Structures are given as structure tokens and as C-alpha cells.
Amino acid sequence: MIRSMPGQIRMVENEERVVELSFSSEEPYSRWWGVEILDHSEGCVDLERLNSIGCVLFNHNRDRVIAKIEKAWINGSRGHARIRFDEDERSDDIYKKVKGSTLKGVSVGYLVDVWEEVATAKQSADGRFTGPCSIAKRWIPYEISIVSVPADPTVGVGRELENGFTAAGAEREKIPSLRERQLQINQNIGKEAGI
């Protein structure tokens, strides 16, 4: 899955090519199958992959690696990262656009291992969220992207289309199973990659 969010990018003083950014939040996000929330409570987010082999892409293109992740962490209800841009020409172009505030969007690619389904007007097990929603209770971010058009309108630029519907216009008949969701996600990733 992929989720985009606000341009919360901060240049780190006295460190050339290093920025700190926010890459995820608990902001409810309308998917084609319903509302999704990424839980950032203790033990919900597995950051080992980002901290061990994580990289930063441009627009989720796996062939456009532009930076390495020096450190990823959770602070409150947000995922944060400190990244260092590469020095090749293509990465330098993106770095300059970030530094000049032309590019502000950040997005995260992730996999969900455990969901909590919350029915309409019911509370989540911890009482923090009200349904209908699907809460990612155990999830793994696998890449961070600097993006030209972030998806979440509550934090900036307009939401992108998913499956031909805007999130607000999609009708919700039933929440698909985890298998159905993953199949749809794989199809969407394949389309984005041109497969």
C-alpha cells in the first residue's frame, strides 16, 4: 500500500544534503474499500526494515533511488525519518527542489500484517478510533518517497484517484477481506510499475 502526506520536511542545520521529514500519521484515509488508519501506538510499527536497508524513492519508482534513510522513528502519532540525499545528478535535482520548497510531498509504501475492523459507530479495542474503519495494528513501512502530488487533502495537495473514483465518491458496500485487499493492492502496484 502507499499513503502520501504533508510536506513536513526540515533541512538539518550544518548537514549538507540531510533532511528530516514526517512520513506517516494516524490521519484517517479513504481507500476504495473504506477508511484506513495506520496505528502508531507502541508495537504497531515495525521500523527495522527502514532502519537497516531503507531507501528513499522519487514518486515510488523503484528505479529512482534518491537518498538513504539514516534513521526512522515514531514520535507521538507520526513516523519520522532523517535522510541523506545521494550526490548523483538525478538525486541532486530532487534535493534542490526539496531544499527550495518546490517538492514538499512525502509518501510511504507499507505492508499490513494485522488489521482491526471496527464497525459503524463502534470503538476500536483501545477506544481511540470510531468506526467504520480498518486499523493497521501491525504494519511495516518498506520505503519512503518524495512525491510530486501527495494524496491526502487534509494535509495539502488534493487526493489522487483510486480505481477511477475519488475517495469521497466511492460507495462502500462491504469491507473486502484482507486477501481481496492485497490482490487489489498488487494490481495497483503492477499498473503503476507498468507491469
Side-chain angles (χ1 to χ4, degrees):
M1 294 188 175
I2 296 172
R3 180 186 284 213
S4 299
M5 58 177 305
Q8 294 188 351
I9 300 174
R10 178 178 75 78
M11 307 307 286
V12 176
E13 287 185 43
N14 301 322
E15 295 250 13
E16 186 67 20
R17 309 186 76 76
V18 175
V19 299
E20 287 186 357
L21 52 81
S22 176
F23 65 85
S24 64
S25 76
E26 291 184 343
E27 185 68 35
Y29 182 80
S30 293
R31 294 280 189 192
W32 63 272
W33 44 264
V35 175
E36 171 195 75
I37 297 171
L38 297 176
D39 195 334
H40 285 67
S41 301
E42 178 98 22
C44 290
V45 188
D46 181 351
L47 295 174
E48 184 183 338
R49 182 176 175 143
L50 285 186
N51 281 315
S52 63
I53 62 169
C55 63
V56 181
L57 308 177
F58 179 62
N59 281 333
H60 298 289
N61 183 338
R62 294 176 184 169
D63 295 326
R64 290 285 311 266
V65 176
I66 58 171
K68 69 177 178 179
I69 297 172
E70 293 189 335
K71 181 182 176 184
W73 68 96
I74 302 299
N75 184 7
S77 60
R78 289 192 177 273
H80 296 271
R82 178 184 173 106
I83 68 171
R84 181 177 301 274
F85 280 87
D86 293 338
E87 295 188 26
D88 60 278
E89 186 176 337
R90 293 173 77 184
S91 300
D92 191 53
D93 288 343
I94 303 303
Y95 170 69
K96 287 176 182 173
K97 290 179 186 298
V98 168
K99 187 175 180 180
S101 297
T102 301
L103 282 173
K104 299 178 183 179
V106 178
S107 187
V108 62
Y110 56 96
L111 298 171
V112 178
D113 290 329
V114 177
W115 291 95
E116 178 186 353
E117 301 295 340
V118 182
T120 302
K122 300 293 183 185
Q123 294 289 306
S124 60
D126 62 7
R128 296 176 57 225
F129 307 106
T130 302
C133 61
S134 299
I135 304 167
K137 294 301 288 181
R138 184 79 177 140
W139 59 282
I140 304 167
Y142 61 85
E143 58 92 355
I144 297 172
S145 282
I146 302 296
V147 295
S148 50
V149 183
D152 191 339
T154 65
V155 292
V157 182
R159 192 181 302 269
E160 64 193 46
L161 295 178
E162 291 184 359
N163 297 332
F165 297 98
T166 62
E171 292 186 25
R172 181 180 176 150
E173 293 181 15
K174 70 175 187 107
I175 295 176
S177 69
L178 180 58
R179 180 181 179 280
E180 291 169 323
R181 284 188 224 160
Q182 193 61 53
L183 285 172
Q184 185 63 50
I185 291 162
N186 292 347
Q187 288 173 354
N188 290 346
I189 290 171
K191 286 178 188 174
E192 288 176 7
I195 298 174

